[in-house]
Amino acid sequence: MQLRFAAGHRRARVPRRVTVLAVLVAACGSALALPHADAAAADPDLGPNVQIFDPSTPEEEIQSAVDGVFKDQEKAQFGDARKALLFKPGSYDVDANIGFYTQIVGLGLSPDDTDIKGAVHAEADWFDGNATQNFWRSAENLAVTPTGGADRWAVSQAAPYRRMHLKGDLALDDGGWSSGGLLADTKVDGQVNSGSQQQWLSRNTEWGGWSGSNWNMVFVGAENAPAGDFPKPPYTRVDKTPVAREKPFLYVDDAGEYKVFVPDVRKDSQGTSWSGGAPKGSSLPLSDFFIAKPGASAEQMNTALAVGKHLLVTPGVYHLDRTLKITEPDTVVLGLGLATLIPDNGVTAVSVADVDGVKLAGLLIDAGTKSSPSLMEVGPQDSSAGHADDPTSLHDVFFRVGGAGPGKADKSLVVNSSHVIGDHTWIWRADHGEGVGWNTNTAANGLTVNGDDVTMYGLFVEHYQKHQTVWNGERGRTYFYQNEMPYDPPDQGSWMNGGTQGYAAYKVGDHVKDHEAWGLGSYCFFNVNRDVAAEHAFEVPDTPGVRFHDMVTVSLGGAGTIHHVINTTGGPSDANNNVADLVSYPQ
């Protein structure tokens, strides 16, 4: 994402545990040792890149620490530092400006347990008000009483504002272009103004009101969603969220013990999971987790996973010489501070067995220099089990090929298991940064779904060299899709799907009988060769059970052409007609 043009209940089961501590210690060394009982209320060692704040800490000390992190991270788009700022329950007077690879988190069971009186905001000052590159940061599980009554979260992709309670108004831009984004499980007492945001997903939200629109604004399970229908204004409303699980999170209980809360699956939900009372779910003690700190190896993490441990991956960049293998049902892998996994030697970074209830959250998977067949595989190719009662879920899991340096991967995310829930993913072949070029950061497909009954919320897939998304499973559902086609085909001949110009941004397999999607946008900006064209953005079989709602294609600045929106219907988007809308298919 380089250049933008703005236009106008089942309880989670705990995996089996090995009770002989000696086995763990022998396998992984002292890093797996459990804390002593008399230290239960002490802060755990979460590595060098986590700062934990207590209400008794002097305000000037907290402000200095927060300012220091922002100073280092404001412009560090492709830097190596990863940071997490954790606030224990209580009240704080602090202005927290959040930069790259920084996560600010409240440690209460409810967002209202931790109240920031000041600001928790993201600005685009470093880029002259242009927020289109404000990636890789998050604000989670906090109440904010903003100074002056309003706060700002001016971001684009991979920057969730999740499980927040803002006691005022919220602006989603900084005066320039912006291209986000996600509000999830969040309450805003005042007004949300989307400003220049080109697209946005609001899932399970509550607010006083919403204003603003551009190309594709989607509201799923949102109380008080704005009135109006696509394309004028471009609002897509789905009254209830069919099936979702909120992201697991770290918290401190009343006894001062650190735990991870794992929310239950909710069906047909509207509004937040917490504003009506305590959320439903289960708590896991931190002693059930292997705490990975910078320098931890894939062997150590795999040994812990094999004996039934969960993983808490603290902020850092972790090189993997082998695949992390998740084989136990209900395993939680929770990353803090945009914890980043880089597969070396062409391995797949993470594989998940075809088991119930795995939760993967808060991770950035960054391709290595030797091409991997995939960066993450959820279920092996022969997956056949059903997981409707206890689905696997991915929350704020992001993928990157290039940008921080040369990277290669044939596919980024492959989902073979059934009933998987995707809760906000950005799957990105880099269009700027280091190691970027048509023959440099090579990557064919972003997302491939082979499992049945898979549901995706907030699916962002950009710049891959063939089909961006390939969906082969039955009864797939997507709620919000954002895509940019590759910027850099050198010529039309280099980007042909047989005799068809270009590759679809979202392809449903020819054999699929049942698939439905709401609120989809695909944009082109062929800045290397403006004569390049794509035949269509969405390619689907013509069958009554495959239904698409509220689609838009855009030629950004007229740089290239998308002839049709879906199959041979709708469009074009080109230099003469930048934006093309289509309300439904079949029509």
Side-chain angles (χ1 to χ4, degrees), residues 157-172:
Q157 286 80 1
Y161 196 85
R162 181 187 288 277
R163 208 168 194 274
M164 297 286 285
H165 182 191
L166 181 64
K167 300 176 181 181
D169 298 330
L170 181 64
L172 298 178

Side-chain angles (χ1 to χ4, degrees), residues 63-66 78 171 179 188 230 556 578:
Q63 190 65 62
S64 177
V66 171
F78 295 111
S179 183
V188 178
F230 188 91
L556 296 168
N578 290 166

Side-chain angles (χ1 to χ4, degrees), residues 243 245 352-358 378-394 414-422 449-456 471-476:
V243 57
R245 176 191 282 118
V352 181
D354 191 25
V355 296
D356 281 353
V358 173
V378 180
Q381 291 183 7
D382 59 351
S383 293
S384 59
H387 308 286
D389 291 335
D390 190 12
T392 284
S393 52
L394 283 68
V414 178
V415 178
N416 294 315
S417 287
S418 295
H419 299 101
V420 172
I421 300 171
V449 178
N450 298 317
D452 294 335
D453 301 288
V454 171
T455 302
M456 291 283 171
W471 206 300
N472 295 316
E474 289 288 354
R475 297 175 299 281

